[in-house]
Amino acid sequence: MMYASHPLGPDPTSATSAPTPSTLGETSPGAVRLRVAPSPTGDPHVGTAYMAMFDLAFARQQGGKFVLRIEDTDRARFNETSEQQLYDTLGWLGLRWDEGPDVGGPYAPYRQSERLETYRPYVDKLIEDGHAYYCWCSQERLAQLRADRAAAKSPQTGYDRMCLGMTKEERAKLPGFTENPVVRMRVPDDVELGFDDLIRGHVNAPRPDDQVILKADGFPTYHMAVVVDDHLMGIDTVVRGEEWISSTPKHVLLYQWLGLTPPKFAHMPLLRNTNKSKISKRKNPEARLTWFQEQGYLPEAV
């Protein structure tokens, strides 16, 4: 099946003629490939530079490659000026990438919005194999479900699987139906919640719910797109913040269902304020990378 056998080597039909920076030199056989994958939803977060710094340092140490991928599938929060700000601020800090939307590379395109046809076959395979299903529940119905559970102080969270096993016609006879379905992954009752982390050792995560993997607008969610893209781009080491620990069992499941080898995971501690709270762009001006430029900081100081 095509889903499990995509080559990790360069595809000459997708190669670009754009110049590639030689920051890391030639990749040696078996060398690591790491990526930073920010979403263009506003001013770049300082956490993006934080992760990129570790990605780049490890890639340099190992003689590997550092990739910049733009994860722009959240069209509701998309900010068209944010992508250029990412190039400008990361470049200002000297965190240069070997492959990316602006410089090209053997796995182009590096914007997820330009890769929509790539994801659909993987989603269809999950549906065919019984690992995913269509959900026709309206946003109003889901909001009411959350409100009812909150009022009842129910410990249950996540989707209640109302649409599981139903055809569109059967579901249409019930309240809270919408013509435009999403696709959800079907998480088994015996899902493995533990995984090995390069930093933390063996980690146990909370049980995931039936996560949406394809939205009604045809765009994949983060969880689906990141698995497909990391595989196709040959990413073998994923460095990200610890807030993604709870999502890792979902990602490992998707890799297993698709017959793919998952990367190694390294979950970094978050950047925090002096009072231990998470740095937020809504509350902390210094969470924005552009703030340091505006205040006259030297990139070396940052």
Side-chain angles (χ1 to χ4, degrees):
M1 295 291 290
M2 63 169 287
Y3 313 100
S5 59
H6 280 282
L8 295 183
D11 178 359
T13 64
S14 64
T16 177
S17 59
T20 300
S22 57
T23 308
L24 307 184
E26 295 298 320
T27 305
S28 58
V32 298
R33 286 179 58 81
L34 298 96
R35 51 77 173 167
V36 67
S39 298
T41 56
D43 286 355
H45 194 283
V46 67
T48 298
Y50 172 51
M51 296 304 162
M53 179 179 66
F54 284 97
D55 283 325
L56 182 56
F58 189 54
R60 278 179 174 161
Q61 182 198 56
Q62 298 292 316
K65 292 292 184 181
F66 173 47
V67 178
L68 173 65
R69 186 172 68 226
I70 300 298
E71 299 196 340
D72 57 349
T73 61
D74 187 346
R75 307 310 288 179
R77 299 172 59 217
F78 174 74
N79 184 317
E80 62 183 12
T81 65
S82 182
E83 183 174 325
Q84 186 59 50
Q85 287 182 321
L86 282 164
Y87 301 148
D88 293 343
T89 51
L90 292 179
W92 173 66
L93 291 169
L95 301 171
R96 292 300 306 171
W97 46 98
D98 296 284
E99 303 167 24
D102 59 331
V103 298
Y107 303 99
Y110 292 90
R111 290 185 191 90
Q112 288 184 335
S113 61
E114 298 174 0
R115 300 172 60 82
L116 296 185
E117 293 182 0
T118 302
Y119 309 115
R120 186 70 212 206
Y122 291 88
V123 175
D124 289 342
K125 175 173 172 55
L126 292 173
I127 295 172
E128 292 166 7
D129 291 348
H131 297 308
Y133 60 95
Y134 287 103
C135 173
W136 291 274
C137 287
S138 65
Q139 290 300 314
E140 292 77 15
R141 195 255 161 184
L142 296 175
Q144 187 61 53
L145 174 64
R146 290 191 292 270
D148 291 345
R149 284 175 170 174
K153 298 182 179 180
S154 171
Q156 291 182 312
T157 59
Y159 182 59
D160 63 355
R161 292 186 166 178
M162 181 178 186
C163 294
L164 179 61
M166 287 191 179
T167 64
K168 180 179 179 180
E169 291 72 23
E170 291 170 337
R171 180 63 182 85
K173 297 176 183 178
L174 302 175
F177 171 82
T178 178
E179 286 285 345
N180 300 313
V182 300
V183 177
R184 294 180 181 273
M185 60 188 296
R186 182 180 182 180
V187 178
D189 293 337
D190 60 349
V191 57
E192 174 59 54
L193 301 177
F195 64 93
D196 292 325
D197 189 281
L198 291 175
I199 297 172
R200 301 160 186 266
H202 192 74
V203 176
N204 286 307
R207 189 186 188 284
D209 66 340
D210 286 9
Q211 176 72 49
V212 174
I213 56 175
L214 189 73
K215 294 178 284 189
D217 61 5
F219 279 74
T221 62
Y222 166 82
H223 304 284
M224 188 71 211
V226 73
V227 166
V228 173
D229 284 342
D230 281 348
H231 165 65
L232 293 181
M233 294 182 183
I235 304 301
D236 55 21
T237 307
V238 171
V239 179
R240 58 188 181 186
E242 63 187 9
E243 72 268 31
W244 294 110
I245 287 176
S246 61
S247 295
T248 304
K250 304 174 192 176
H251 300 167
V252 172
L253 264 182
L254 290 171
Y255 279 109
Q256 291 174 347
W257 288 339
L258 295 169
L260 309 176
T261 301
K264 298 180 178 69
F265 295 101
H267 291 91
M268 299 289 293
L270 299 179
L271 294 176
R272 297 189 179 274
N273 295 302
T274 53
N275 63 1
K276 307 300 183 182
S277 63
K278 182 179 177 181
I279 296 177
S280 166
K281 286 194 291 186
R282 292 190 300 272
K283 299 178 181 178
N284 311 106
E286 66 274 15
R288 298 184 297 110
L289 276 176
T290 51
W291 179 85
F292 291 94
Q293 290 180 305
E294 295 163 0
Q295 298 297 312
Y297 279 81
L298 295 176
E300 293 82 2
V302 179

